[in-house]
Amino acid sequence: MAEKSPVVIDLKFGRASVTDALRNAFVGRDVVDMALPENAGRDLSGIPYAVVWKPDPQLFARARDLKVIFSGGAGVDHILSAYELPDLPVVRFVDRSLTDRMSEWVVLQALAHLRRVPAYAVQQRARVWHEIDPQPEARDVTVGIMGLGVLGQDAARKLKVMGFNVIGWSRTAKTIDGIETFDAAGLDAFLGRTDILVGLLPLTPDTRGIYDARLFARLRQGGALGKPVFINAGRGGSQVEADVVAALEKGVLGGASLDVFGREPLSPESPLWGMENVIVTPHAAAASDVRALFAHAEEQIERFESGMSLQHVVDRKAGY
Ligand code: NDP
Ligand code: OXD
């Protein structure tokens, strides 16, 4: 019998990464891994902690003595919008490695569109040697980030290092060195200045469908890239996919990089796969490092058990 309180995990991640991370995690605690067949019908009462990513809908009813729920990712829409959750603290995953990898993806996509990577890829397939003109610099282009939380702020700083002019928009006003920011009321002004729009918003009732035709029409036309570009790694539910396709077809958008989709995996029928100015990645911008996730949960459990406050607790009313 372990001397510390047990943990239940229900993580729809790659199995190998979970098994590997469990070897050195939660020392002194029993871990009930719901992916193992022998735990299917197990009594989950008396377990105070759950670490979950897209868990079984029955989990929260079965684990009725939970005290804290840990999200396996930075986003919490996978549980807040899909389950009748008990009124417990939900802690989201905030992690250096996840943040760094998201910023790598965002900077990569912004540079790819700046340096015409999709167009050169087409030329390469056709064995065409042709230098595309003009070649704007990062400093000629304004990247506007929607969502200035942990991920948005880090991406903003790293885009700035690459030379982009960076502005940002969030629900509440922010002060970030070297970056002009806009609050909710400043959306029009923000969009009118944006050449590359980066979506790093959580999915909530307020942000569902926010990237739609009306929004794309308000982005700056005729900037250094000619037409605006849309990059989204927040959540697919925030984009109206038909509007993204239409905006690309009509030339309201000049290109897009999409990591997230309303329905994942993206349907093989989606026109987005075949569009030459679109880069699609399979919700891979910043996957959770499972070892880091367990270390974060352990740290928060230690805090909780020693009477300190939990960190990164979700505001259930705001939805993130
Ligand atoms: P945070 O909670 O730290 O930041 C969220 C930001 O969005 C805040 O600036 C917040 O404003 C802003 N925001 C929320 N609602 C609104 C609104 N209605 N209007 C304007 N701004 C709003 O989250 P993170 O930065 O850690 O993560 C952001 C999202 O990235 C996650 O929720 C997840 O969906 C996604 N993600 C995607 C991954 C991938 O691999 N594709 C990996 C990890 C995360 P304010 O500052 O005023 O509160
Ligand atoms: C997350 C994600 O929310 O990977 O962490 O989408």
Side-chain angles (χ1 to χ4, degrees), residues 167-200:
I167 61 176
W169 180 80
S170 54
R171 197 164 60 99
T172 56
K174 297 273 171 302
T175 307
I176 308 171
D177 216 21
I179 290 158
E180 194 180 344
T181 57
F182 299 77
D183 65 11
L187 185 60
D188 269 332
F190 164 84
L191 294 172
R193 299 259 305 280
T194 295
D195 300 310
I196 298 181
L197 179 68
V198 173
L200 281 172

Side-chain angles (χ1 to χ4, degrees), residues 73-77 92-94 98 102 146-153 169-174 184 199-204 206-207 210 232-235 259-260 283-287 318 320:
V76 289
D77 52 294
R92 65 191 203 93
F93 186 34
V94 174
L98 186 151
M102 177 58 84
M146 289 179 77
L148 290 175
V150 174
L151 301 182
Q153 291 199 27
W169 180 80
S170 54
R171 197 164 60 99
T172 56
K174 297 273 171 302
L200 281 172
L201 286 170
L203 181 61
T204 70
D206 289 340
T207 65
I210 194 168
N232 190 14
R235 280 291 180 267
D259 184 59
V260 287
H283 200 140
Y320 65 96

